[in-house]
Amino acid sequence: MLVSATLCSATMFNATKPQKRLSELEHLVMDVLWARPQSTAKDVREALTERHPMKDSTARTILNRLEEKGYVKHHVEGRTNVYRVSEPPRHLAVRFVRQIIDRLLGGSVEQLIVGMVDRDLLDQRELRRLAEKLARRKNRTRRGKDAH
């Protein structure tokens, strides 16, 4: 039953399409890209000189891999590829959490939140803010239905 619920919610919710995981080096490169709107392979290499020195060809290879995986896009300026992220980290986090919810909790966001509360990952202030956001969303939805 859990498998069918997972398959069902994966087909209903497009953002659950699995995205290949990031290696440690790919994650370092993504951190550079998230910190700036656009970067070349040289920019990435220079930004990571202290933490992880690499050749320009290695930076280009990593950027190409990230593009194949769907994490970055590029355009060409002259003869240089200029890269930017496809999505901000918050959107990727949501996608990955959705995959976890579907795989481990049969699609139940409530079970995830209850588990987070049980393990003290959400404090009272965060729970209050979450409740306020839910109430605002509910009111917006209600107003939208009244307008139709």
Side-chain angles (χ1 to χ4, degrees):
M1 180 163 164
L2 181 61
V3 172
S4 63
T6 301
L7 291 174
C8 179
S9 75
T11 51
M12 290 173 42
F13 188 74
N14 194 20
T16 61
K17 180 181 177 190
Q19 195 162 16
K20 292 185 180 180
R21 292 186 179 187
L22 293 173
S23 69
E24 233 177 280
L25 182 54
E26 289 169 339
H27 193 81
L28 287 175
V29 171
M30 288 301 295
D31 286 341
V32 171
L33 295 172
W34 280 320
R36 44 180 91 190
Q38 299 184 77
S39 296
T40 64
K42 181 181 177 187
D43 296 332
V44 167
R45 188 173 44 83
E46 289 174 354
L48 293 175
T49 297
E50 296 291 318
R51 293 172 68 192
H52 193 286
M54 68 179 85
K55 295 179 182 177
D56 194 54
S57 61
T58 303
R60 285 194 310 270
T61 298
I62 296 298
L63 288 163
N64 287 334
R65 260 194 236 146
L66 289 169
E67 189 166 26
E68 288 170 9
K69 291 180 177 183
Y71 289 98
V72 302
K73 297 177 182 178
H74 85 275
H75 68 276
V76 180
E77 288 182 10
R79 294 179 49 202
T80 305
N81 287 350
V82 180
Y83 294 86
R84 64 181 172 80
V85 295
S86 299
E87 301 180 73
R90 182 177 180 176
H91 293 178
L92 287 175
V94 169
R95 179 177 298 162
F96 290 138
V97 168
R98 181 81 243 177
Q99 289 175 20
I100 291 168
I101 291 167
D102 288 344
R103 288 183 182 150
L104 300 177
L105 303 171
S108 173
V109 175
E110 182 180 349
Q111 282 187 29
L112 175 71
I113 293 172
V114 168
M116 291 173 72
V117 170
D118 289 347
R119 303 289 289 177
D120 294 323
L121 292 175
L122 293 172
D123 62 26
Q124 289 298 320
R125 189 179 90 250
E126 291 169 320
L127 286 171
R128 193 170 32 262
R129 282 194 314 221
L130 182 59
E132 290 167 1
K133 285 181 182 183
L134 290 171
R136 282 195 302 271
R137 170 76 49 99
K138 185 176 178 181
N139 288 338
R140 265 195 313 236
T141 304
R142 193 177 294 149
R143 274 186 260 138
K145 286 180 182 176
D146 291 344
H148 288 4

